[in-house]
Amino acid sequence: MQNSGLDEKYERAASVICKQGIIPFPVNNITIGIIKEVVEDNKDELDLIWAFRDKPSQTLEELKNSSGLTEDKIEELTASLAKKGLLFNQPSSAGIMVYRILPLMTVGLMEYRFMGKLKGDEKEKRLAHLFQDLITQMRDQVQKNYDAFVPLLKQMPPIDRTVPLRKTEDGKPIRIISVDRQIETPTEVILASQSIEEIIDKFDEIAVGHCFCRQRRSVLGHSCSLGAPTENCFTFGKSARHTVAQGFARMVSKEEALEIMKQAEEAGLVHKAFHPNSKISRPETSICNCCKDCCDTLRLWREGAFPLVNATNYLSIIDQDICVGCGECVDRCPTDAIVLNDEGKAERDENACFGCGICARFCPEEAISLQEGPRKVFVLPPRLRTS
Ligand code: SF4
Ligand code: SF4
């Protein structure tokens, strides 16, 4: 192992990192280029990454066996990789330290590298461009093999869960329509918190960092068309401890967290909660406040790279007798689920509505309500090419 060339070490490290997470990536110039920017030729770090090849999460004892390194060396290297956004190192609920190698994205290196305060240096720019190249390559692959990808994409679990806005711009409660569906509702859906207040209330450790999507796009030279604030990317519990320890976020009180959430709602952002392994019966690990313009999951879908896969408990209902056809909801809907019909009335596509409540919040006529009921939203990416 010691005699392996640097290129080989990068290739091996990339082979480990590229197979983590929900999106497997090929080992190629782009993925190796990303790892080169981050690891900066530290051969020991590359060897430690290779030690995760058979098991992505390991205890210290397991890592000593798989790497052949001493405890001190492992602690030094894991601390460094965690700071670089490539490793998660927090104790389990049983108090045992667990080291987990992270994927390139969703959720991993890309998110952590761009959720801290931007440095404005050349490395940051190169990384932003490399991730953009990776996304473009992913889109091209999906488009080239669209029919073959469809069955695989359809098996995907929801990546995130929408937590709806609850108030109109005037501060009035958005009307909620309860539905007795007479069907068995999965337990996991019943347990998921349906309001921001409820989620904030259940965590003692809450950290806020910057939106990695808006920040990465700003490094690429795009400014958010909503002019949305960036410091509203939340992590909770163990994830909060991790992001703060690595300098990606700062701890906030419940009061400050609620104030930031309120500002996000005023800016027209969507609350999206993330759960471990997409299991929404488990406590939230993080909440993004997403804008229609920059959010990676929305862009990946709109640009043909990835499906829209989301869990929600709400569906917007438009009262066309009240609608005056102003088009506000059409412009604001993050999933383009609303159009004005031939009569100039707003019409919503149920498949694409993930129940965020943005339309209801900003409708000047209060013509929109939210109907309760658990749903998985799945919309294939648009087909852009035929070959
Ligand atoms: S915002 Fe309200 S009034 Fe305007 S088009 Fe949408 S539903 Fe109709
Ligand atoms: S129609 Fe659009 S804005 Fe309204 S709740 Fe559904 S996804 Fe959100």
Side-chain angles (χ1 to χ4, degrees):
M1 195 147 117
Q2 279 87 349
N3 295 328
S4 300
L6 189 57
D7 286 347
E8 190 191 335
K9 286 178 188 284
Y10 271 119
E11 201 156 316
R12 292 191 321 186
S15 73
V16 175
I17 291 167
C18 285
K19 68 180 181 189
Q20 308 304 322
I22 57 169
I23 310 174
F25 289 100
V27 175
N28 59 23
N29 286 346
I30 299 174
T31 48
I32 290 176
I34 290 171
I35 294 164
K36 280 186 173 171
E37 285 294 343
V38 174
V39 174
E40 298 173 308
D41 292 354
N42 186 322
K43 290 181 183 175
D44 291 343
E45 288 181 6
L46 292 170
D47 285 341
L48 189 71
I49 293 169
W50 178 239
F52 287 93
R53 62 192 176 279
D54 295 327
K55 197 161 185 252
S57 290
Q58 297 182 37
T59 62
L60 182 59
E61 284 309 309
E62 288 172 325
L63 208 42
K64 275 159 75 177
N65 287 333
S66 60
S67 69
L69 296 172
T70 63
E71 194 170 320
D72 284 352
K73 193 68 182 169
I74 288 172
E75 278 174 4
E76 174 202 321
L77 294 173
T78 51
S80 171
L81 285 170
K83 282 256 181 287
K84 292 178 173 180
L86 270 172
L87 192 119
F88 191 90
N89 57 345
Q90 287 293 314
S92 68
S93 49
I96 298 166
M97 177 60 98
V98 177
Y99 304 91
R100 177 163 55 89
I101 199 75
L102 292 170
L104 287 174
M105 62 172 78
T106 322
V107 172
L109 180 64
M110 184 173 82
E111 290 81 3
Y112 285 140
R113 289 297 289 215
F114 288 95
M115 79 179 286
K117 203 166 180 300
L118 290 178
K119 296 186 175 77
D121 59 16
E122 287 305 311
K123 176 181 285 297
E124 197 168 66
K125 271 192 203 145
R126 288 195 299 271
L127 259 181
H129 281 282
L130 280 164
F131 277 116
Q132 194 55 37
D133 291 346
L134 190 62
I135 288 169
T136 303
Q137 184 186 65
M138 185 162 76
R139 181 206 58 199
D140 290 348
Q141 280 302 314
V142 168
Q143 291 297 324
K144 206 168 144 197
N145 307 288
Y146 194 93
D147 291 327
F149 268 112
V150 167
L152 294 174
L153 298 176
K154 282 187 172 168
Q155 289 171 21
M156 291 190 61
I159 292 173
D160 47 32
R161 179 176 73 86
T162 308
V163 182
L165 275 61
R166 294 283 181 165
K167 289 187 177 154
T168 66
E169 268 192 298
D170 298 338
K172 294 183 197 157
I174 291 171
R175 190 164 158 255
I176 303 290
I177 304 168
S178 298
V179 177
D180 180 8
R181 292 198 159 198
Q182 300 288 313
I183 57 169
E184 205 172 307
T185 305
T187 310
E188 59 182 7
V189 175
I190 294 171
L191 292 175
S193 303
Q194 295 299 338
S195 79
I196 284 299
E197 289 76 9
E198 204 183 319
I199 294 171
I200 295 294
D201 191 47
K202 69 184 174 193
F203 291 103
D204 291 329
E205 290 158 304
I206 303 168
V208 69
H210 293 265
C211 166
F212 37 81
C213 302
R214 287 192 282 284
Q215 291 223 120
R216 190 177 61 81
R217 282 185 51 83
S218 77
V219 173
L220 292 172
H222 301 280
S223 53
C224 173
S225 65
L226 276 78
T230 63
E231 201 189 25
N232 43 33
C233 183
F234 286 91
T235 44
F236 304 113
K238 187 160 65 171
S239 294
R241 290 197 292 279
H242 180 75
T243 52
V244 170
Q246 311 315 330
F248 304 145
R250 65 183 174 91
M251 284 292 180
V252 287
S253 64
K254 290 181 196 290
E255 292 72 28
E256 189 178 356
L258 287 171
E259 182 55 33
I260 293 171
M261 292 290 193
K262 188 166 157 257
Q263 287 165 7
E265 294 186 1
E266 285 164 4
L269 306 184
V270 178
H271 305 307
K272 287 202 288 181
F274 293 79
H275 299 257
N277 301 319
S278 297
K279 290 198 169 58
I280 61 178
S281 57
R282 295 179 61 188
E284 295 78 4
T285 54
S286 54
I287 285 187
C288 284
N289 283 291
C290 306
C291 68
K292 179 175 181 170
D293 186 21
C294 308
C295 169
D296 276 330
T297 49
L298 291 170
R299 290 193 75 85
L300 285 172
W301 165 63
R302 210 175 280 123
E303 292 173 4
F306 210 65
L308 181 68
V309 205
N310 174 268
T312 182
N313 197 41
Y314 295 92
L315 171 69
S316 70
I317 302 291
I318 301 171
D319 186 336
Q320 294 188 338
D321 290 339
I322 301 175
C323 170
V324 295
C326 69
E328 186 72 27
C329 57
V330 178
D331 293 341
R332 286 192 180 264
C333 174
T335 62
D336 304 324
I338 309 180
V339 292
L340 291 183
N341 65 17
D342 292 346
E343 284 80 49
K345 302 284 186 179
E347 237 178 55
R348 180 264 300 124
D349 172 2
E350 176 167 348
N351 287 334
C353 171
F354 62 8
C356 63
I358 293 283
C359 53
R361 178 182 175 96
F362 291 98
C363 172
E365 304 299 320
E366 295 174 28
I368 307 180
S369 312
L370 291 176
Q371 178 179 285
E372 286 182 334
R375 294 185 304 128
K376 175 182 170 183
V377 175
F378 178 87
V379 189
L380 280 169
R383 190 196 284 262
L384 306 174
R385 300 172 195 173
T386 51
S387 62

